[in-house]
Amino acid sequence: MHLPQRQLGLRIENMVTEYTATARAHSNIAFIKYWGNRDSGIRLPANSSLSMNLAALHSTTSVTWSDALEEDRLLINDEPAVPAALLRVSAHLDTLRAELRSTLHADVSSHNNFPMGAGIASSASAFAALTLAATAALGMRLSERELSLLARRGSGSAARSIPTGFVEWHAGSADKDSYAESIASPDYWPLEDVIAVISRDHKHVGSTMGHATANTSILQRVRVETAADRLLSAIHAILARDFEALAPVVEEDSNLMHAVMMTSKPSLFYWLPKSLRVMLAVQEWRRQGLQVCYTLDAGPNVHCICGAQDAAVVAARLKELDPDIEVIRSAVGGGAQLLTANDRTD
Ligand code: PMV
């Protein structure tokens, strides 16, 4: 069947050439955290990390490279992005342009299916989807490893949103060996992330700035030196589906990262009083027999990692603890997916 060119995603009007693709990637929550870089220019992390993708939270991003554009453009949820967001996306497009040997500018439109400003980081899903769509639009079919390497350059945690399920990001020692790969598929172990949204405020210090201050804490060296042991314990616990082994290491790793944040100069406090209330309640619920542990990223919201059988009870108990807490639930998610793409035809 002959398809009109528009349906192929390729549009040639008035001699304007455009290459388009759309991709989707999920957010992820780290069990062993990435905090601090050995080389911030290429986001080469201080330590390897481990996460699970979040099925319920994703970004869907369309990229159109066009020779009619004189600069990059960015819409987020159909609104023009703030200048800082456009600058960061444009810097990532520069990396991709260099890699793809292209001089074209891009029109980027990204939709998050979770409320922006819910205090849930969107940079992992956003930069993973952007990297896949931007490279596919120009006809590049990169390996998972190549995509993960490139996504890392946009936002470190985006490297982990390329592979499926439970994902390890190998810190590596240089650009070419710092990438993520899956250690288990989403259905290997039905965990859930029950997120207690404690504040919707935008974080006062974003993670890029935060990474830059990590080395000012006297605790960072110890955290990094001991991260490999925690990573190994967490991987073994996941592969053995052993919640009792996973819970303490996930909480310890989160506490250590926040100890580094709190002792950095200037100090960064992401926890709010309500975060601590939820953390203590989670430990109490675990003592009572529920499979639940907590972890927090660079914000006050508490991710309650649960055995799927206990997720509904945990969600209800969070509401009992404080009816103002909004609860978002997510199962384990898959890897980044290409939804549509044309091929470069010139
Ligand atoms: O990818 P970034 O630069 O947003 O850093 C993520 C940092 C944490 O979310 C705090 C930890 C992690 O490993 O995801």
Side-chain angles (χ1 to χ4, degrees), residues 8-11 17-23 61-66 93 96 100 102 104-108 129-142 147 338-346:
L8 287 169
L10 175 67
R11 200 144 58 93
T17 312
E18 296 184 341
Y19 309 97
T20 273
T22 301
T61 302
S62 296
V63 175
T64 301
W65 297 101
S66 168
L93 292 171
L96 300 179
L100 303 171
S102 170
L104 296 175
H105 288 99
D107 217 333
V108 178
L130 173 66
T131 304
L132 178 53
T135 53
L138 288 181
M140 305 289 290
R141 296 294 182 266
L142 301 181
L147 283 168
L338 189 60
L339 302 183
T340 59
N342 62 252
D343 278 327
R344 190 170 187 159
T345 52
D346 62 347

Side-chain angles (χ1 to χ4, degrees), residues 30 32-35 43 123 155-157 160 207 211 257 297-298:
I32 302 298
K33 307 293 188 184
Y34 148 54
W35 195 247
R43 295 184 201 269
S123 65
S155 175
S157 55
R160 298 189 310 242
S207 47
H211 291 297
M257 178 182 74
D297 279 343

